[in-house]
Amino acid sequence: MTRAIKVKNTEDIQKINQIVTRYGFDIWIHGKSGMVDAKSLLGMFLLSLNEPLQLVVEDDIDASALLKDLSEYLDIEE
């Protein structure tokens, strides 16, 4: 599963990281500059915030609760 995610500043990074660390499955954020583990705060700070970012979770995972928790950061159109 892939969803566009909006990360505007370091406060967003910290809030997103706090949310994703509650889940027991792998959660990644992909961008043109690379891919980071969303549970790694240091990794999240390496993201380039001025590029399109994608939240990525394995397809066989039920991520509905995660998507609800992250709803303010996700693009609704997808």
Side-chain angles (χ1 to χ4, degrees):
M1 179 218 54
T2 303
R3 294 283 186 279
I5 187 166
K6 294 178 265 184
V7 184
K8 295 180 262 197
N9 52 44
T10 57
E11 187 177 309
D12 285 354
I13 288 174
Q14 291 172 328
K15 288 180 181 177
I16 291 168
N17 179 262
Q18 288 173 352
I19 292 168
V20 300
T21 54
R22 298 183 213 146
Y23 292 89
F25 48 86
D26 291 337
I27 303 167
W28 299 90
I29 296 186
H30 293 212
K32 291 180 182 175
S33 60
M35 164 178 89
V36 299
D37 182 346
K39 294 180 183 180
S40 167
L41 191 55
L42 182 59
M44 293 278 289
F45 278 112
L46 295 175
L47 290 171
S48 177
L49 302 183
N50 58 356
E51 68 182 51
L53 298 173
Q54 297 288 320
L55 178 79
V56 179
V57 177
E58 288 187 38
D59 287 335
D60 60 344
I61 300 288
D62 178 8
S64 55
L66 172 66
L67 296 178
K68 183 178 178 188
D69 287 347
L70 290 175
S71 62
E72 70 179 283
Y73 303 103
L74 300 176
D75 281 339
I76 304 297
E77 297 85 38
E78 292 199 34

